[in-house]
Amino acid sequence: EKNFFLLAGPCAIEGEAMAMQIAETVTGIADRLKIPYIFKGSFKKANRSRVDSFTGIGDEKALRILKKVSEHFGVPTVTDIHEIDDAAMAAEYVDVLQIPAFLVRQTDLVVAAANTGKVVNLKKGQFMSPESMKHAVAKVTDSGNSQVLITDRGTMFGYQDLIVDFRGVPVMKQFAPVVLDVTHSLQQPNQASGVTGGRPELIETIARAGIATGVDGIFIETHFDPASAKSDGANMLPLDQLERLLTRLTALRQTVNDF
Amino acid sequence: EKNFFLLAGPCAIEGEAMAMQIAETVTGIADRLKIPYIFKGSFKKANRSRVDSFTGIGDEKALRILKKVSEHFGVPTVTDIHEIDDAAMAAEYVDVLQIPAFLVRQTDLVVAAANTGKVVNLKKGQFMSPESMKHAVAKVTDSGNSQVLITDRGTMFGYQDLIVDFRGVPVMKQFAPVVLDVTHSLQQPNQASGVTGGRPELIETIARAGIATGVDGIFIETHFDPASAKSDGANMLPLDQLERLLTRLTALRQTVNDF
Amino acid sequence: EKNFFLLAGPCAIEGEAMAMQIAETVTGIADRLKIPYIFKGSFKKANRSRVDSFTGIGDEKALRILKKVSEHFGVPTVTDIHEIDDAAMAAEYVDVLQIPAFLVRQTDLVVAAANTGKVVNLKKGQFMSPESMKHAVAKVTDSGNSQVLITDRGTMFGYQDLIVDFRGVPVMKQFAPVVLDVTHSLQQPNQASGVTGGRPELIETIARAGIATGVDGIFIETHFDPASAKSDGANMLPLDQLERLLTRLTALRQTVNDF
Amino acid sequence: EKNFFLLAGPCAIEGEAMAMQIAETVTGIADRLKIPYIFKGSFKKANRSRVDSFTGIGDEKALRILKKVSEHFGVPTVTDIHEIDDAAMAAEYVDVLQIPAFLVRQTDLVVAAANTGKVVNLKKGQFMSPESMKHAVAKVTDSGNSQVLITDRGTMFGYQDLIVDFRGVPVMKQFAPVVLDVTHSLQQPNQASGVTGGRPELIETIARAGIATGVDGIFIETHFDPASAKSDGANMLPLDQLERLLTRLTALRQTVNDF
């Protein structure tokens, strides 16, 4: 029976060399484990805590790198969009358009993404219930696009913490395939420093719970050296830990497939 | 000593007649109570729960009505923007550009608003701590615009409820003048119906606590007949209850002014 | 018109001298401001975070001090109970029996307190809604005792924070007179150290909001030197700040009384 | 490698026949699946929402039934205690003394349980962080009793909901073996009716996530006919669904054992 699928890559496209290296490594692992793989990279970081945070290397430049990854490794790609005009632009380069969690209530943006005909990946707002994602999905399908995913990246718990509510997995699977974003789910937002913290040592714990509860896909931000990454360094998985993690998740998935 | 200021008006500009009527009524009350008044109205509703929710009567048409209100009654106006391009457009018609709570982390939008030179009213995200608004304010001031307000509209508490954390008032006053949005703070989001609920019977309770804790301004959505309004009907204050509320808040403010 | 009432005193009865000194100071202030006053002191601290925390000077010894305070200054007294057997014992010495927040769902304890015929002060559990306090109050009144108070001491918000939900004030006033515990409401529980933290600089903010929203009473733990207190030092109000606070609250109350 | 252990039985001991029937059924399943089994039943329900809720059939009567179950089926038993005096009494009949979640901060009660020499099962308070359970465990071990378990039964999320935070599993395993209470974790407290609700259709979801994240034990309340049970009917698992659930959890556990 079939394995879960994987959205993985660096938080932001920092340059061509790093994108190609990460894609090569992850493609190799995914091939060995028979995991359908979608390369992930942001062409722009638009919602940083502070104005002096890194926001990208240039939109078109980053998008062209995504296209090159796709062609070179034969994998689909996903990127996130923040403005209505981004939808048509990004759709020329990638296969999946992702709506960030903070923006999933912006009807015009969701509809613009839907209208490209690309797959739309809706991040569940940290302030939304699993049940309420039904309405977000309907904005895509009512636009005539039936290709939609929901990605859970945790729910606000107090000011500086997020919890994944696994009760939401079967609830949201009624609306669309469900992906668990295991790296952002472990963020610790609203830190006094203005830099989001994280608990990456718990990635495997959260990912295992996701597979056990039946998620269809796993989303992981990964980097050769998270500490040197230009964004989200606190949460990414070191790339050399990825194969062990995916091997275990594949084993769990096979067990669940037999239920 | 000086009174609090007031941002008030309908949720959405539904037409010229209703805007002028509401403005006339509120202007009269504000004059009697010596409350500096800013007329509020959305020219577009972009973040509805469902795709079939009312979104507006046309952007320019609504903005022209805001301009007319301003000229006719001699009051400044405020409206909310959702896309970068909205900033320059709306700035031609209104005095205060408001960043919606869900969008307050979108750097490009905040900077675009700041660059118009207009006053920027930052709604505190329902997912943000009072302390973290320091960074949002800095995005405006670092852009060379020192005219910024923070408006609290409650903080997520579970999936279907919001609480106002009044500890945040003195914290956020360190960054900018603080406004309490007493109608949205009483919303009940993520309802199964896809329509946000509310507890408008608690408007006075929340508003009193705001004045007592030292907020600089009060934000109220009001309508002649909330039940017939095209958006946020569950939360708006019936216009005929406004004067009694503002009279009480003015009395409380005078007491606090003496401290 | 009448002022709010006050429950105040040290967290724990550490000895006779400190109890008498605090009672004398607070009695003087309360007389000047015409605030009905109930002296508060715990005879035992039973729910400490750690086994090595201070738990008291001996039950009967502490209760006798409460009795002496009552007789000497002509004020009623309140203490908290933790076991069924405490109810009858404490009732011989004090006027108000308080049920701690963690214990307010313990039916037998609440009924034992009710059966003494003393006033019962029910702390709202940090895990309870204002509406659910209706059932706690009913446990007292169904036992034939109509003298019951509800005291709010904040509601859990994430693991390490509490928020006061002022919407609960009018809700709970339907069931019984409502007191706001301004010192415990500012606790920061579950700290890594095992010692509860606090934000005592916000006591006035929270207390003002309470009076403005119509609470009937204020609960304050106070000490000559909170830093040297044997429990809850992080949250108590320094006694020399009490009069200024109560003077302001009295002014606010007079304003609200005129509504 | 070894399987998880199971604490299971009815919420309350309603009578001998039902206890023996449930014990027989569960013992049979546990034997087939090689699951170490501890029979669970409350001899008293002390923390009901309302005074008219069912509280038990008589303490000693219920405890004698627990003893009979233990002797007849050769299984250890667990029951929860609410007052200090309960500890020694219950210790004469059962093998594991459980401290309810609301009471886990009551030092005297925890120490009384520890002093019996029995295994102490500490429920994590719905208001406590996983990290803070370190101090609760220390109250047992500092009393000279090293036999202690931690059981997670969810964490308050808003007023009427609980979420299980699976990040807590590896955290709490540093302190003691960790059990997941899959039925109480799905409660919906503080309902307007005064009767706690639940989402029993999610029991398998939550239980799978627990095994996948490495819990040592599973706690399940089960009943032949939950709808007719005298307490917690909204949450118990129908007994005829137990074997399928435990079979799946055993398969997941075997997968995890290989990691």
Side-chain angles (χ1 to χ4, degrees):
Chain A
E1 207 166 345
K2 63 185 188 1
N3 209 345
F4 62 90
F5 58 88
L6 175 69
L7 288 74
C11 177
I13 300 295
E14 299 172 10
E16 183 177 316
M18 64 84 78
M20 296 297 280
Q21 277 185 304
I22 293 172
E24 182 172 20
T25 305
V26 183
T27 303
I29 298 168
D31 281 352
R32 286 192 287 283
L33 295 171
K34 301 195 194 321
I35 298 172
Y37 172 46
I38 302 167
F39 180 83
K40 184 269 163 184
S42 293
F43 70 91
K44 176 166 63 178
K45 304 306 301 179
N47 59 349
R48 305 287 84 189
S49 303
R50 311 194 331 184
V51 80
D52 60 354
S53 303
F54 171 77
T55 58
I57 60 169
D59 295 355
E60 300 266 344
K61 186 175 174 191
L63 287 166
R64 277 196 298 271
I65 293 170
L66 282 161
K67 187 76 172 174
K68 182 161 181 185
V69 164
S70 177
E71 290 170 351
H72 191 83
F73 296 101
V75 293
T77 56
V78 53
T79 201
D80 44 329
I81 62 173
H82 302 83
E83 290 270 324
I84 293 167
D85 295 344
D86 290 348
M89 176 177 68
E92 293 181 32
Y93 299 92
V94 302
D95 305 280
V96 182
L97 296 179
Q98 178 169 295
I99 307 296
F102 288 149
L103 301 183
V104 71
R105 286 285 296 274
Q106 307 307 310
T107 302
D108 292 349
L109 182 64
V110 172
V111 170
N115 287 342
T116 64
K118 299 288 177 179
V119 179
V120 179
N121 182 22
L122 300 168
K123 288 269 186 107
K124 185 183 86 65
Q126 301 91 329
F127 44 81
M128 287 181 72
S129 65
E131 287 77 9
S132 65
M133 286 304 293
K134 179 180 183 177
H135 305 296
V137 168
K139 290 177 184 180
V140 180
T141 53
D142 290 355
S143 301
N145 184 339
S146 64
Q147 297 186 89
V148 53
L149 306 174
I150 300 171
T151 297
D152 194 337
R153 45 93 74 245
T155 298
M156 288 303 301
F157 181 67
Y159 287 125
Q160 301 186 316
D161 208 7
L162 293 165
I163 293 185
V164 178
D165 180 0
F166 288 96
R167 299 174 305 172
V169 174
V171 170
M172 293 190 292
K173 283 180 76 171
Q174 298 171 53
F175 315 139
V178 172
V179 179
L180 179 62
D181 175 347
V182 296
T183 39
H184 290 95
S185 290
L186 291 164
Q187 285 185 330
Q188 309 247 269
N190 288 322
Q191 299 301 307
S193 61
V195 178
T196 297
R199 299 178 68 182
E201 72 280 10
L202 292 166
I203 287 173
E204 183 175 325
T205 297
I206 292 300
R208 283 194 203 179
I211 295 297
T213 56
V215 300
D216 301 283
I218 291 284
F219 177 112
I220 303 179
E221 288 189 349
T222 183
H223 194 278
F224 284 102
D225 179 16
S228 75
K230 297 208 159 105
S231 59
D232 271 11
N235 290 286
M236 286 192 277
L237 183 74
L239 194 48
D240 60 9
Q241 299 178 17
L242 186 63
E243 184 153 14
R244 196 182 87 140
L245 173 65
L246 295 178
T247 301
R248 289 182 167 193
L249 298 184
T250 297
L252 271 176
R253 172 70 174 208
Q254 286 166 340
T255 303
V256 171
N257 278 348
D258 291 339
F259 289 167
Chain B
E1 208 166 340
K2 63 188 191 2
N3 209 345
F4 62 91
F5 57 89
L6 176 68
L7 288 73
C11 177
I13 301 294
E14 299 172 10
E16 182 175 318
M18 64 85 77
M20 296 297 279
Q21 278 184 304
I22 292 172
E24 183 171 21
T25 305
V26 183
T27 303
I29 298 168
D31 281 352
R32 286 192 288 283
L33 295 170
K34 300 193 195 326
I35 297 173
Y37 172 47
I38 303 165
F39 179 83
K40 184 269 161 183
S42 293
F43 69 91
K44 175 167 63 179
K45 303 307 300 181
N47 59 348
R48 305 288 85 189
S49 304
R50 311 196 329 185
V51 79
D52 61 353
S53 303
F54 171 76
T55 58
I57 60 170
D59 295 355
E60 301 265 345
K61 186 175 175 191
L63 287 166
R64 279 195 297 270
I65 293 171
L66 282 161
K67 187 76 172 174
K68 183 164 181 183
V69 165
S70 177
E71 290 170 350
H72 192 84
F73 295 102
V75 292
T77 56
V78 54
T79 201
D80 43 331
I81 63 174
H82 302 83
E83 289 270 323
I84 293 168
D85 295 343
D86 291 348
M89 176 178 68
E92 293 180 30
Y93 298 93
V94 302
D95 306 279
V96 183
L97 296 179
Q98 178 169 295
I99 307 297
F102 288 149
L103 301 182
V104 72
R105 286 284 298 274
Q106 306 307 310
T107 303
D108 292 349
L109 182 65
V110 172
V111 170
N115 286 342
T116 65
K118 298 288 176 179
V119 179
V120 179
N121 182 23
L122 300 168
K123 288 269 186 107
K124 185 184 86 63
Q126 301 92 328
F127 45 82
M128 286 181 72
S129 66
E131 288 77 7
S132 65
M133 286 303 293
K134 179 180 182 177
H135 306 296
V137 168
K139 290 178 184 179
V140 181
T141 54
D142 290 355
S143 302
N145 184 339
S146 63
Q147 297 187 90
V148 54
L149 306 173
I150 299 171
T151 297
D152 194 337
R153 46 93 76 245
T155 299
M156 288 304 301
F157 182 66
Y159 286 126
Q160 302 186 317
D161 208 6
L162 292 164
I163 293 187
V164 178
D165 180 1
F166 288 96
R167 298 174 306 172
V169 174
V171 170
M172 294 190 291
K173 284 181 75 171
Q174 297 171 53
F175 315 138
V178 172
V179 178
L180 179 62
D181 175 347
V182 297
T183 39
H184 290 95
S185 290
L186 292 164
Q187 284 185 331
Q188 309 247 269
N190 289 323
Q191 300 300 308
S193 61
V195 178
T196 297
R199 300 179 67 182
E201 72 280 9
L202 293 167
I203 287 173
E204 183 174 325
T205 297
I206 291 300
R208 284 194 202 180
I211 296 296
T213 55
V215 299
D216 301 284
I218 292 284
F219 177 112
I220 302 179
E221 288 189 348
T222 182
H223 195 277
F224 284 102
D225 179 16
S228 75
K230 297 208 160 105
S231 59
D232 270 11
N235 289 286
M236 285 193 277
L237 183 74
L239 195 47
D240 60 9
Q241 297 179 17
L242 185 64
E243 184 153 15
R244 196 182 87 140
L245 172 65
L246 295 177
T247 302
R248 290 181 168 193
L249 298 184
T250 297
L252 271 176
R253 172 70 174 209
Q254 286 166 341
T255 303
V256 171
N257 279 348
D258 291 340
F259 289 168
Chain C
E1 209 166 342
K2 63 185 192 351
N3 209 344
F4 62 90
F5 58 88
L6 175 69
L7 287 74
C11 176
I13 300 294
E14 300 171 10
E16 183 175 317
M18 64 84 77
M20 296 297 279
Q21 277 184 303
I22 292 171
E24 183 172 18
T25 304
V26 182
T27 304
I29 298 167
D31 281 352
R32 285 192 288 283
L33 296 170
K34 300 193 195 324
I35 297 172
Y37 173 46
I38 303 165
F39 180 83
K40 184 269 164 184
S42 293
F43 70 91
K44 176 167 63 178
K45 304 306 301 179
N47 59 349
R48 304 288 83 189
S49 304
R50 312 196 328 186
V51 79
D52 60 354
S53 303
F54 171 77
T55 58
I57 60 170
D59 295 354
E60 301 265 344
K61 186 175 175 191
L63 287 166
R64 277 195 298 271
I65 293 171
L66 282 161
K67 187 76 173 175
K68 184 162 180 183
V69 165
S70 177
E71 290 170 349
H72 191 84
F73 296 102
V75 293
T77 56
V78 54
T79 202
D80 44 330
I81 63 173
H82 303 83
E83 290 271 323
I84 294 168
D85 294 345
D86 291 347
M89 177 178 67
E92 292 181 31
Y93 299 93
V94 302
D95 305 279
V96 183
L97 297 178
Q98 179 169 293
I99 307 296
F102 289 149
L103 301 182
V104 72
R105 286 285 297 274
Q106 307 306 310
T107 303
D108 292 349
L109 181 66
V110 172
V111 170
N115 286 342
T116 64
K118 299 288 178 179
V119 179
V120 179
N121 182 23
L122 300 168
K123 288 268 185 107
K124 185 184 86 65
Q126 300 92 329
F127 44 82
M128 286 181 72
S129 66
E131 288 76 8
S132 65
M133 286 304 293
K134 179 180 183 178
H135 306 295
V137 168
K139 291 178 184 178
V140 180
T141 55
D142 289 355
S143 302
N145 184 339
S146 63
Q147 297 188 88
V148 53
L149 306 173
I150 300 172
T151 296
D152 194 337
R153 46 91 76 244
T155 298
M156 287 305 300
F157 181 66
Y159 287 126
Q160 300 187 317
D161 208 7
L162 293 164
I163 292 185
V164 178
D165 180 0
F166 288 96
R167 299 174 305 173
V169 173
V171 170
M172 294 189 292
K173 284 181 76 172
Q174 298 171 53
F175 315 139
V178 172
V179 179
L180 178 63
D181 175 348
V182 296
T183 38
H184 291 95
S185 290
L186 292 165
Q187 284 185 329
Q188 309 247 271
N190 289 322
Q191 300 301 307
S193 61
V195 178
T196 297
R199 299 178 67 182
E201 71 279 10
L202 292 167
I203 287 173
E204 183 175 325
T205 295
I206 292 299
R208 284 194 202 179
I211 295 297
T213 56
V215 299
D216 302 283
I218 292 284
F219 177 112
I220 303 179
E221 289 189 348
T222 182
H223 195 278
F224 284 102
D225 179 16
S228 76
K230 297 206 160 113
S231 59
D232 270 10
N235 289 285
M236 285 193 279
L237 183 74
L239 195 47
D240 60 9
Q241 298 178 17
L242 185 64
E243 184 154 14
R244 196 183 87 140
L245 172 64
L246 295 177
T247 302
R248 290 181 167 191
L249 298 184
T250 297
L252 271 176
R253 172 70 174 208
Q254 286 167 340
T255 302
V256 171
N257 278 348
D258 290 341
F259 290 168
Chain D
E1 208 166 343
K2 62 186 196 348
N3 209 345
F4 62 90
F5 58 88
L6 175 69
L7 288 74
C11 177
I13 300 294
E14 299 172 9
E16 183 176 317
M18 64 84 79
M20 296 296 280
Q21 278 184 302
I22 292 172
E24 183 172 19
T25 304
V26 182
T27 303
I29 298 168
D31 282 352
R32 285 193 286 283
L33 296 170
K34 300 194 195 322
I35 298 172
Y37 172 46
I38 303 166
F39 180 83
K40 184 269 163 184
S42 293
F43 70 91
K44 177 167 63 178
K45 304 305 302 179
N47 58 350
R48 304 289 84 189
S49 304
R50 311 194 330 183
V51 79
D52 59 355
S53 303
F54 171 77
T55 58
I57 60 170
D59 295 355
E60 302 265 343
K61 186 175 174 191
L63 287 166
R64 278 196 298 269
I65 293 170
L66 282 161
K67 186 78 174 173
K68 184 164 181 184
V69 165
S70 177
E71 290 170 350
H72 192 83
F73 296 101
V75 293
T77 56
V78 54
T79 201
D80 44 329
I81 63 173
H82 303 83
E83 290 269 324
I84 292 167
D85 294 345
D86 291 348
M89 177 178 68
E92 293 181 29
Y93 299 93
V94 302
D95 305 280
V96 182
L97 296 179
Q98 179 169 295
I99 307 297
F102 289 149
L103 301 182
V104 72
R105 285 284 296 274
Q106 307 305 312
T107 302
D108 291 349
L109 182 65
V110 172
V111 170
N115 287 342
T116 64
K118 298 288 177 179
V119 179
V120 179
N121 182 22
L122 299 168
K123 288 268 186 107
K124 185 184 86 65
Q126 302 92 328
F127 43 82
M128 286 180 73
S129 64
E131 288 77 8
S132 66
M133 287 303 293
K134 180 182 183 176
H135 305 296
V137 168
K139 290 178 184 179
V140 180
T141 54
D142 289 356
S143 301
N145 184 339
S146 63
Q147 297 186 90
V148 53
L149 306 174
I150 299 172
T151 296
D152 194 337
R153 44 92 76 246
T155 299
M156 288 303 302
F157 182 67
Y159 287 126
Q160 301 185 317
D161 208 7
L162 293 165
I163 292 186
V164 178
D165 180 1
F166 288 95
R167 299 174 305 172
V169 173
V171 170
M172 293 190 292
K173 284 181 75 172
Q174 297 172 52
F175 315 139
V178 172
V179 179
L180 179 63
D181 175 348
V182 296
T183 39
H184 290 95
S185 290
L186 292 164
Q187 284 185 330
Q188 308 248 269
N190 289 321
Q191 300 301 308
S193 62
V195 178
T196 297
R199 299 179 67 182
E201 72 279 10
L202 292 167
I203 287 173
E204 183 175 325
T205 296
I206 292 300
R208 284 195 203 179
I211 295 297
T213 55
V215 299
D216 301 283
I218 292 284
F219 177 111
I220 302 178
E221 288 189 349
T222 184
H223 195 278
F224 283 103
D225 179 16
S228 75
K230 297 206 160 114
S231 59
D232 271 10
N235 290 286
M236 284 193 278
L237 182 75
L239 195 47
D240 60 10
Q241 298 178 17
L242 185 64
E243 184 154 14
R244 195 181 87 140
L245 173 64
L246 295 178
T247 302
R248 290 181 167 193
L249 298 184
T250 297
L252 272 176
R253 172 70 175 209
Q254 286 167 339
T255 303
V256 172
N257 278 348
D258 291 339
F259 290 167

